[in-house]
Amino acid sequence: NRNLFMDRLTQALAKAGRDKQRLGILYIDLDHFKRINDTLGHQVGDSMLRAVAQRLRGDLRATDTLCRIGGDEFIVIMESISSLQDLETLARKLLNTLNKPMMLGKTEIVPGGSIGISLYPDDAGEMDDLIKMADTAMYSAKNNGRNRFAFYRPEMTATAMHYLTRENEIRLAIKEGQLRLYFQPQFEASDNTLVGIEALLRWQHPLQGLLSAGEV
């Protein structure tokens, strides 16, 4: 399925390039799917994925392509886009479909999902970049509350790189003892009496100096 998707996307990009048209990638990730597998079992999870695929396919045009690329992730290729409104309309329709309850055995489930969108040639001209950007936008939608969609913006990549870098730096900070513990007194506002002490962890970054939790 993934190989077929890559072949379809290659052809769609070539056609969009020849015809000077836009093409959209919608990266869909189901919300809390792991919870379904963990509580109801993988067989129910598989049944849910098949039901979701059927529902999503019903929202697409004949010229669109839907693929499950792994786990609980789906990708839609939307060709011949006249405006961003086309992508927004489809994204809302897909989210509405994902929010409709479905019966799996005796259990009612509402799949839910988050969608990231990238656009050719506006965001990128290469296939791998478009997929990566749509994936990044999807995580942005998920981090902003789930059950929504987001268009890719360049600052999303910068934010993702920041957190990746910070994660690696924090591991090193713990290993090399760069964390500092500070104590801050707490006073009663009415009479200025000491009522407690707050423990604060700070990071003595080798290049950026003393960092608070908010700056990490």
Side-chain angles (χ1 to χ4, degrees):
N1 202 349
R2 186 182 181 91
N3 290 336
L4 177 60
F5 163 75
M6 299 301 281
D7 182 64
R8 288 279 182 89
L9 183 53
T10 299
Q11 294 181 36
L13 287 173
K15 182 177 183 298
R18 288 194 307 268
D19 298 341
K20 300 291 190 280
Q21 291 182 330
R22 282 168 149 178
L23 177 147
I25 299 292
L26 294 89
Y27 201 115
I28 307 166
D29 184 87
L30 302 185
D31 292 335
H32 307 300
F33 179 70
K34 185 177 184 299
R35 188 181 301 168
I36 301 296
N37 277 337
D38 291 345
T39 57
L40 301 178
H42 289 273
Q43 186 172 354
V44 174
D46 290 344
S47 296
M48 175 179 161
L49 290 174
R50 287 192 293 269
V52 165
Q54 291 293 334
R55 286 189 175 187
L56 294 178
R57 191 164 62 179
D59 286 335
L60 303 180
R61 307 169 303 174
T63 55
D64 299 329
T65 298
L66 171 68
C67 174
R68 174 175 168 248
I69 59 169
D72 59 343
E73 296 175 327
F74 296 82
I75 287 186
V76 173
I77 306 171
M78 188 178 191
E79 301 184 56
S80 304
I81 297 170
S82 59
S83 69
L84 293 182
Q85 185 67 39
D86 293 343
L87 285 165
E88 185 173 333
T89 299
L90 178 59
R92 293 187 189 281
K93 185 185 295 185
L94 295 175
L95 287 176
N96 183 59
T97 292
L98 291 173
N99 282 320
K100 292 178 180 178
M102 61 174 59
M103 292 299 299
L104 296 175
K106 297 181 180 180
T107 305
E108 183 179 271
I109 296 174
V110 178
S114 303
I115 302 176
I117 305 171
S118 63
L119 192 64
Y120 167 89
D122 305 52
D123 296 323
E126 297 297 323
M127 178 170 55
D128 291 341
D129 291 337
L130 284 168
I131 296 173
K132 189 184 304 180
M133 290 172 176
D135 185 28
T136 298
M138 181 274 293
Y139 276 106
S140 177
K142 198 173 282 287
N143 290 336
N144 284 322
R146 303 175 185 269
N147 191 33
R148 63 189 65 207
F149 67 89
F151 284 92
Y152 174 78
R153 301 189 308 275
E155 55 266 31
M156 291 177 178
T157 297
T159 300
M161 285 302 299
H162 168 78
Y163 284 116
L164 177 62
T165 301
R166 276 288 189 255
E167 183 178 341
N168 293 330
E169 287 181 326
I170 288 175
R171 288 196 184 98
L172 185 63
I174 296 172
K175 181 179 179 181
E176 298 191 354
Q178 297 173 4
L179 302 181
R180 304 285 185 267
L181 184 63
Y182 290 85
F183 295 97
Q184 177 173 286
Q186 296 177 323
F187 295 93
E188 176 63 47
S190 60
D191 57 10
N192 206 35
T193 57
L194 180 68
V195 295
I197 296 177
E198 183 180 11
L200 304 172
L201 191 64
R202 296 289 182 259
W203 178 11
Q204 187 64 51
H205 195 282
L207 299 178
Q208 301 175 32
L210 196 64
L211 300 179
S212 69
E215 296 172 290
V216 176

